[in-house]
Amino acid sequence: MNDNLRVEGRAADMISRNTNLVPVISTEMNSDTSDKSVTSERRTNESPVFSLNDLKGLDYGTGMAYSYYYGYLRLVLPSSGTTSKGIVEKIENFEDTHNVSFPIHKLFILIPSSGYIPPNLKEMSDQWMESAKELEEERRNRAGNIRRTYHNNVYKIYPGGRKSGADPIYVVAEGASPLLTFYEVQKHNHAESAVYKQFRQEIINTFHVKLHNVLQSELDTKDLCELIYYHDYKPDGTKVNVAKIILERIFQMTHT
């Protein structure tokens, strides 16, 4: 057995035995293409440290990131010349058609720490946010599905809420759909559900970092997407206003 298989076998065996592990997490993101994530688990009796990176990309978070990128983002973000429009051109066309302006011409992708994303982002915005219209749809022949459609939603954010009298701010935003699937798996009694719950935060962190690195390493998708990782529930259990989270990021991007 070669060294790689031995390492992967040891890591998989440690997970399957579901021992008492204490998470030790360090996550760093740089603009280069290297994956700087370090997610480790330590036995309480100071046995050897296990890292998800030992799985050499076989972990759930890395798999979700690649699937999301190649199965969706790489199809909707870049322009392919005359055959399909990219996210920037679609936003500009929306501005021209509806006589509005967007402060940021990117797709905002929300990565909540719980993994849960509501069907409509309005549900987690304290009435600060509402769905407006959709950008132009994208049609692709994909895995036997002829003319499969993809589209992105435009949201209006009212700083201070709908009754504040403030002009709306337009954004293209959505949650990272693989995380919702991951969340739903944990809610069912599958063989892997318990270990996914135990490693939930580490898996989501790995997904976040890997997706960032893949997006930035490809010229076609570099700087077309803004990932927002956030804790979606306060310590008292109340929901965080996701509209405020998005507005804070927009402020950071436009004032630096």
Side-chain angles (χ1 to χ4, degrees):
M1 181 181 296
N2 63 37
D3 290 341
N4 285 341
L5 290 177
R6 186 177 294 108
V7 169
E8 292 166 11
R10 177 174 63 83
D13 181 61
M14 290 177 69
I15 291 179
S16 66
R17 283 187 273 119
N18 196 20
T19 54
N20 293 324
L21 301 171
V22 178
V24 182
I25 307 169
S26 173
T27 303
E28 176 185 352
M29 290 194 301
N30 289 334
S31 59
D32 60 18
T33 60
S34 60
D35 190 340
K36 300 291 186 179
S37 65
V38 178
T39 308
S40 60
E41 302 292 332
R42 189 190 311 276
R43 290 177 186 265
T44 55
N45 62 1
E46 296 301 322
S47 295
V49 170
F50 160 63
S51 169
L52 290 184
N53 289 335
D54 288 342
L55 295 178
K56 308 296 184 183
L58 295 177
D59 62 279
Y60 199 137
T62 298
M64 282 196 298
Y66 278 123
S67 178
Y68 190 40
Y69 178 78
Y70 285 103
Y72 175 61
L73 295 178
R74 195 170 66 94
L75 303 178
V76 301
L77 290 177
S79 170
S80 60
T82 57
T83 57
S84 65
K85 301 173 184 177
I87 189 75
V88 173
E89 186 177 358
K90 290 176 182 177
I91 291 174
E92 291 173 345
N93 288 348
F94 189 99
E95 289 177 320
D96 293 339
T97 301
H98 299 281
N99 194 29
V100 298
S101 63
F102 290 66
I104 302 294
H105 289 187
K106 289 185 177 185
L107 171 62
F108 287 87
I109 294 182
L110 305 175
I111 302 178
S113 59
S114 73
Y116 176 71
I117 304 157
N120 190 327
L121 298 182
K122 176 182 179 180
E123 298 175 27
M124 298 192 74
S125 72
D126 294 335
Q127 303 300 314
W128 282 38
M129 198 169 186
E130 68 176 1
S131 177
K133 293 181 179 293
E134 299 172 358
L135 296 183
E136 301 163 68
E137 68 180 21
E138 186 76 22
R139 292 181 180 269
R140 297 291 184 95
N141 297 336
R142 188 80 174 165
N145 192 328
I146 307 302
R147 294 178 61 78
R148 181 175 182 176
T149 60
Y150 303 84
H151 67 266
N152 306 101
N153 279 83
V154 175
Y155 279 89
K156 293 190 288 187
I157 299 178
Y158 296 88
R162 288 290 305 274
K163 298 180 180 179
S164 67
D167 292 332
I169 294 174
Y170 288 80
V171 298
V172 182
E174 59 193 57
S177 56
L179 291 187
L180 180 59
T181 303
F182 177 54
Y183 175 88
E184 292 170 340
V185 170
Q186 296 171 67
K187 295 299 180 182
H188 291 79
N189 190 29
H190 299 298
E192 300 81 8
S193 295
V195 75
Y196 287 163
K197 289 178 183 178
Q198 181 181 358
F199 287 87
R200 182 190 69 194
Q201 203 56 64
E202 293 80 4
I203 290 170
I204 292 176
N205 286 341
T206 302
F207 168 79
H208 177 203
V209 175
K210 176 58 69 175
L211 184 60
H212 169 85
N213 287 340
V214 174
L215 283 164
Q216 292 302 102
S217 67
E218 298 290 337
L219 292 178
D220 286 345
T221 56
K222 183 179 175 65
D223 298 328
L224 294 180
C225 200
E226 188 70 17
L227 305 182
I228 302 180
Y229 173 85
Y230 65 103
H231 294 281
D232 47 334
Y233 287 90
K234 300 176 184 178
D236 62 4
T238 58
K239 297 177 182 178
V240 168
N241 185 341
V242 72
K244 287 185 178 180
I245 299 293
I246 296 173
L247 289 178
E248 288 171 2
R249 179 61 62 87
I250 290 174
F251 182 84
Q252 293 171 6
M253 297 172 69
T254 56
H255 289 78
T256 55

